[in-house]
Amino acid sequence: MTPARRARMALGVAVVTAIVLAGCSGADPDPAATVTVTPGVGASDADATPGTTPPASTEATPGGPERIGSGLTDTQILTHADRRYAVVTLPLDTWDVRIDWDPDAGGEMLADVVAADPTIALATNAGIFTPSLRPGGLLVSDGEELVALNLADGGGNFHLLPNAVFAVLDDGTATVVDSTAYEPAGVVHATQSGPALVLDGEIHPAFNEGSTNLALRSGVGVSPDGTTVYLAMSTALTNFWDFATLFRDELGVDDALYLDGQVSDLWVDGLSEPSLLSGPYAGVITARQR
């Protein structure tokens, strides 16, 4: 066993405080098939144990939701289907949401991204990437297409069709669309990942309620009017069905996209710095107050 894998396993023991096993009604795609890797860890190892840290601070308002961070972002812990999720709500009239990737950086650690710019109030990985630390599909930053749309067939979660694109547009709105329906006009920032969690209010057809395929999962959704972005990450292991219905049934989202699994992290202002295992990532989503 590699030192990196031992580190992930040790961290996983501390992070995973509850694993809720539901009845098996079918099989979701194997999370070990994701193409995301951390250097020194094989693809199956990278999805074998959690790679994120729990919130450093929480605050419960009497009669209200449990919130985390400094309060700069609207970040709360929601319970859905007996599982807990950190959810950040970002109205685009007050938040600038970006997607960045430096092709020459060889991947970026989330802690370095946060330390480099004190105006960042949120940072998370942008989507599934390849072993060479290149985004698995489309990535647009500041209107420049850095990686082209990927409509090829393949294995792993990215290619579990339909996959989708999350995009921030020049009219101040955002969208999640089936990758085959993506149009570049007006796109300022975008990332492609897969599978799509929800499209037009419908759960991905490969997901099964009660699946025992459990992993940490992160994702992004957009309100039906396109004015609000929701970023979410499970605080323990969850299945695709429950993660998708979190967006649809709890957040009222018709379109949402899976970003990645065990290597994911979600940092908001007021938490301790991201884990040493939070990266390197090929693409990072950040948010700053306008």
Side-chain angles (χ1 to χ4, degrees), residues 48-256:
T49 53
T52 187
T53 54
S57 61
T58 63
E59 179 179 350
T61 303
E66 179 182 350
R67 299 187 180 277
I68 64 174
S70 67
L72 186 61
T73 59
D74 180 4
T75 306
Q76 56 185 292
I77 300 293
L78 297 182
T79 300
H80 170 69
D82 297 323
R83 293 180 170 91
R84 288 158 56 85
Y85 303 85
V87 177
V88 188
T89 301
L90 299 169
L92 293 178
D93 60 344
T94 56
W95 287 96
D96 177 27
V97 177
R98 295 183 53 87
I99 302 170
D100 292 293
W101 175 57
D102 181 354
D104 300 320
E108 291 186 283
M109 304 300 295
L110 210 60
D112 292 339
V113 172
V114 170
D117 186 348
T119 69
I120 293 175
L122 171 146
T124 190
N125 46 289
I128 290 175
F129 49 93
T130 71
S132 61
L133 291 173
R134 181 178 178 83
L138 178 77
L139 195 138
V140 176
S141 185
D142 284 325
E144 181 182 358
E145 184 182 282
L146 302 179
V147 180
L149 190 72
N150 181 356
L151 298 181
D153 292 331
N157 288 329
F158 182 91
H159 295 285
L160 184 64
L161 303 180
N163 59 27
V165 172
F166 163 62
V168 180
L169 309 178
D170 61 6
D171 65 0
T173 65
T175 187
V176 171
V177 296
D178 186 319
S179 295
T180 62
Y182 170 74
E183 295 289 343
V187 172
V188 181
H189 294 279
T191 182
Q192 182 185 11
S193 193
L197 296 170
V198 187
L199 288 175
D200 296 325
E202 297 294 327
I203 304 299
H204 193 291
F207 299 170
N208 296 291
E209 187 173 3
S211 169
T212 55
N213 175 2
L214 304 175
L216 289 180
R217 305 192 191 278
S218 67
V220 59
V222 177
S223 62
D225 63 3
T227 63
T228 303
V229 170
Y230 300 94
L231 285 157
M233 183 168 177
S234 61
T235 65
L237 309 188
T238 190
N239 61 40
F240 272 125
W241 178 274
D242 290 342
F243 195 42
T245 56
L246 167 78
F247 282 96
R248 187 188 66 178
D249 300 344
E250 300 291 343
L251 302 177
V253 166
D254 290 336
D255 302 287

